[in-house]
């Protein structure tokens, strides 16, 4: 089984996670830039973070046989802090980088005017750079937030098929799919969605334009949720081709719109002694 | 290893070859009109996109050609390195000795040697590092290669710089002793370098 996790924050995960993900079948992932839990106070800390998503993190992933790509953006939460908004001006020099496969995560958190500006600006940046966009939908007031997001997408230069609306659930999936956008589901231990509910959504809405991710980060989350959804799908009567479509071909088709996916990572021979992220002093 | 223009032309598709021609023309234009920039120059955007247009296998060589054609100054090289992905940084490091930089790019080499990414460390111990790293920095670079399993054969002018370096020999022996004490293998390359630290034989008088 081959798995592509289209949304996972590996910066917050350990090498044990990389190993477990590889063992579970994960061969590719996309790491969206997002909030780090601790708010940042200057653009410079964003740039160091972006550089890590373009340098160190792909290197770590490659040590475990996993292709790493990223999406870069000013996230909606920090778009509200005027100390951080200059990030928008610097994004063009980052969006030309090889492993950037979308602009994201963008979208709404509290649906403020500052978030309106950041969302519209970054949808335009995506269009300008020939990139799709990964759009986070808000945790609070989700359905209203989703509808407002779809309105902004319609007014943008970006086609709906170049937009992935993420963190959907039973109440938002219909509107998302009807908009022509791709539909992303984050499977969490407690919140968002779980494996059984995900399978029900797939039964009700089919497998077209649907992506499943773990969104694992620094909070309570599980980087193997993609595999658990695959196993639950098989138990529920979906066949291996359905699983491959949802967990590999759909993310490849969506992010492939960037023309920048490189999925030919070979299994590294450096995986000896269980840990090949060598430290300078060991 | 960097591939020269002639060999690249033979390997690149027509589309990629045309892309490279255009990119080099933009770089040459920038070299002829220094200081006329506002925002990223067109060739610098091509520098970032080289792998997508010419293939990842040729990206280092294409990027090096662009740097040479643009006659990149220390400030440009430093900016491209600092704003670059790991692959772009590697290409900058590989091209340093082909540019007229003097010692100005040593901080980039030192930065690369602080990483734990073997691709960057290997590129940092090329001809520019061999020419410009001081004795202390160079010895630590060699030791770093042994630590992170960059083959010591990657180190440019290894034999020449190691010859008679008693301090390097001491560092290597201490490292070997530490590994042995820990029950861990001593890297093969260590013995290779240690052998190279032997002083040059005293010249014999010809009779």
């Amino acid at each position: 089984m081959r798995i592509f996790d289209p949304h996972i924050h590996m910066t917050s995960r350990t090498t044990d996670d990389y190993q477990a993900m590889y063992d579970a079948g994960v061969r590719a992932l996309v790491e969206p830039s997002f909030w780090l839990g601790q708010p940042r106070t200057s653009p410079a800390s964003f740039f160091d973070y972006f550089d890590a998503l373009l340098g160190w993190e792909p290197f770590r992933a490659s040590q475990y046989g996993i292709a790493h790509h990223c999406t870069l953006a000013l996230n909606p939460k920090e778009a509200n802090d005027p100390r951080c908004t200059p990030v928008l001006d610097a994004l063009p020099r980052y969006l030309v980088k090889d492993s950037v496969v979308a602009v994201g995560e963008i979208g709404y958190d509290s649906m403020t005017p500052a978030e309106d500006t950041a969302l519209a600006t970054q949808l335009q940046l995506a269009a300008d750079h020939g990139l799709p966009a990964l759009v986070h939908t808000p945790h609070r007031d989700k359905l209203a937030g989703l509808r407002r997001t779809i309105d902004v997408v319609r007014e943008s230069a970006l086609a709906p098929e170049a937009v992935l609306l993420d963190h959907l659930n039973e109440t938002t999936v219909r509107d998302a799919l009807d908009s022509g956008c791709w539909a992303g589901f984050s499977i969490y231990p407690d919140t968002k969605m779980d494996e059984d509910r995900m399978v029900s959504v797939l039964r009700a809405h089919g497998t077209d334009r649907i992506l499943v991710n773990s969104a694992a980060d620094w909070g309570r989350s599980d980087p193997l949720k993609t595999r658990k959804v695959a196993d639950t799908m098989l138990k529920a009567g979906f066949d291996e081709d359905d699983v491959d479509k949802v967990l590999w071909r759909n993310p490849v088709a969506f992010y492939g719109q960037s023309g920048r996916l490189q999925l030919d990572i070979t299994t590294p021979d450096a995986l000896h002694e269980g840990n090949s992220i060598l430290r300078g002093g060991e | 290893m960097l591939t020269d223009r002639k060999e690249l032309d033979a390997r690149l598709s027509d589309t990629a070859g045309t892309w490279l021609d255009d990119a080099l023309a933009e770089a040459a234009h920038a070299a002829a009109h220094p200081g006329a920039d506002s925002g990223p120059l067109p060739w610098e955007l091509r520098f970032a996109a080289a792998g997508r247009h010419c293939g990842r296998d040729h990206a280092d060589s294409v990027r090096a050609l662009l740097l040479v054609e643009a006659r990149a100054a220390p400030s440009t090289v430093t900016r491209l390195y600092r704003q670059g992905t790991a692959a772009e940084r590697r290409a900058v490091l590989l091209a340093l000795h082909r540019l007229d930089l003097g010692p100005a790019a040593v901080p980039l080499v030192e930065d690369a040697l602080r990483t734990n990414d073997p691709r960057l460390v290997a590129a940092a111990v090329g001809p520019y590092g061999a020419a410009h790293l001081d004795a202390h920095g160079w010895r630590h670079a060699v030791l770093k290669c042994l630590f992170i399993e960059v083959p010591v054969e990657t180190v440019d002018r290894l034999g020449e710089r190691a010859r008679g370096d008693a301090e390097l020999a001491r560092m290597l022996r201490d490292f070997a002793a530490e590994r042995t004490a820990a029950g861990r293998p001593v890297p093969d390359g260590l013995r290779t370098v240690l052998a190279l630290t032997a002083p040059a034989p005293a010249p014999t008088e010809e009779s």
Side-chain angles (χ1 to χ4, degrees):
Chain A
M1 185 185 296
R2 54 181 183 173
I3 294 172
F4 187 136
D5 192 334
H7 182 151
I8 182 165
H9 301 283
M10 293 311 297
T11 302
S12 305
R13 312 300 308 191
T14 64
T15 49
D16 283 357
D17 286 338
Y18 270 123
Q19 184 65 60
M21 288 164 66
Y22 183 87
D23 292 344
V26 177
R27 295 293 180 272
L29 60 83
V30 167
E31 174 156 11
S33 62
F34 202 59
W35 187 51
L36 291 177
Q38 174 68 39
R40 283 164 284 211
T41 57
S42 80
S45 23
F46 280 83
F47 303 151
D48 289 339
Y49 174 59
F50 293 166
D51 287 342
L53 296 185
L54 294 165
W56 180 240
E57 206 55 48
F59 171 67
R60 288 213 313 152
S62 72
Q63 296 292 286
Y64 291 87
I66 296 176
H68 182 290
H69 296 82
C70 68
T71 77
L72 299 181
L74 174 63
N75 65 78
K77 199 185 282 271
E78 288 172 294
N80 291 300
D81 187 334
R83 292 174 299 179
C84 300
T85 48
V87 169
L88 292 172
D89 302 324
L91 276 172
R93 75 173 163 87
Y94 282 102
L95 297 181
V96 298
K97 304 299 187 188
D98 280 337
S99 61
V100 178
V101 292
V103 173
E105 296 179 51
I106 54 177
Y108 285 117
D109 178 54
S110 303
M111 290 186 271
T112 63
E115 292 172 25
D116 281 327
T117 303
L119 175 56
T121 302
Q122 294 184 100
L123 287 170
Q124 184 63 48
L125 279 175
D128 292 344
H129 288 83
L131 291 171
L134 170 58
V135 183
H136 159 105
T137 57
H139 302 304
R140 303 176 304 279
D141 202 11
K142 190 178 273 292
L143 183 57
L146 175 85
R147 288 177 175 158
R148 185 151 151 192
T149 302
I150 291 171
D151 287 343
V152 178
V153 168
R154 282 206 186 100
E155 290 165 13
S156 78
L158 214 55
E161 59 267 26
V163 174
L164 168 56
L165 301 169
D166 211 351
H167 311 318
L168 300 175
N169 58 28
E170 294 87 346
T171 67
T172 49
V173 56
R174 184 75 274 159
D175 284 57
L177 286 172
D178 285 349
S179 73
C181 295
W182 293 69
F185 294 84
S186 301
I187 315 301
Y188 259 37
D190 299 320
T191 57
K192 294 189 172 93
M193 289 288 288
D194 67 27
E195 298 92 307
D196 293 319
R197 287 165 56 203
M198 187 65 232
V199 166
S200 301
V201 166
L202 288 165
R203 277 217 184 94
H205 298 277
T207 54
D208 289 348
R209 282 188 288 126
I210 287 188
L211 278 70
V212 171
N213 63 71
S214 71
D217 58 12
W218 32 259
R220 183 162 145 73
S221 49
D222 177 358
L224 303 184
K225 282 294 187 189
T226 48
R227 174 58 191 253
K228 288 170 185 169
V229 167
D231 291 340
T232 308
M233 282 177 73
L234 291 172
K235 272 189 213 135
F238 285 95
D239 64 21
E240 289 185 3
D241 188 68
D242 294 324
V243 169
D244 191 66
K245 180 178 173 187
V246 172
L247 288 151
W248 185 267
R249 300 198 306 271
N250 281 354
V252 169
F254 177 73
Y255 288 117
Q257 295 178 81
S258 67
R260 302 188 197 175
L261 276 185
Q262 297 282 356
L263 299 173
D264 55 344
I265 286 258
T266 50
T267 307
D269 55 12
L271 274 178
H272 58 82
E273 298 173 16
N275 183 358
S276 62
I277 306 296
L278 300 164
R279 295 178 184 280
E282 289 177 10
Chain B
M1 290 296 285
L2 299 177
T3 309
D4 64 24
R5 178 75 204 274
K6 200 171 157 196
E7 203 175 327
L8 262 184
D9 280 342
R11 292 190 198 172
L12 292 178
S13 69
D14 288 350
T15 315
T18 305
W19 184 92
L20 178 56
D21 287 341
D22 293 346
L24 288 170
E26 287 169 2
H29 180 82
H33 302 86
D37 57 328
S38 61
L41 294 169
W43 79 267
E44 293 185 17
L45 294 174
R46 302 254 194 186
F47 181 85
R52 304 201 286 280
H53 292 275
C54 299
R56 271 183 302 170
D57 292 346
H58 302 310
D60 286 342
S61 301
V62 168
R63 286 174 174 141
L65 285 173
L66 285 170
L67 289 167
V68 171
E69 194 72 23
R71 281 184 256 146
S75 58
T76 304
V77 168
T78 300
R79 185 175 68 254
L80 288 176
Y81 179 89
R82 291 204 176 137
Q83 298 183 351
T85 61
E88 290 167 50
R89 290 179 183 203
R90 184 183 61 231
V92 168
L93 294 166
L94 291 173
L96 290 177
H97 65 292
R98 300 185 175 192
L99 301 165
D100 185 18
L101 299 168
V106 169
L108 308 186
V109 173
E110 291 169 341
D111 178 87
L113 289 170
R114 284 192 293 272
T115 71
N116 278 5
D117 184 335
R119 297 166 304 173
L120 294 176
V121 171
V125 293
Y128 186 87
H132 293 286
L133 282 173
D134 64 18
H136 180 81
W138 186 81
R139 289 176 192 130
H140 274 274
V142 172
L143 213 53
K144 179 94 179 205
C145 287
L146 292 168
F147 269 102
I148 66 170
E149 298 172 14
V150 169
V152 289
E153 291 73 20
T154 312
V155 180
D156 192 65
R157 290 167 53 192
L158 176 64
E160 182 191 328
R161 286 204 65 164
R163 191 173 305 124
D165 189 338
E167 176 64 3
L168 178 62
R170 180 200 62 76
M171 291 164 74
L172 293 168
R173 285 196 196 95
D174 284 356
F175 176 37
E178 189 184 337
R179 278 286 169 97
T180 304
R184 296 175 67 193
V186 174
D188 290 339
L190 188 146
R191 294 183 183 86
T192 309
V193 186
L194 195 54
L196 292 171
T197 59
T204 51
E205 257 185 62
E206 290 187 346
S207 54

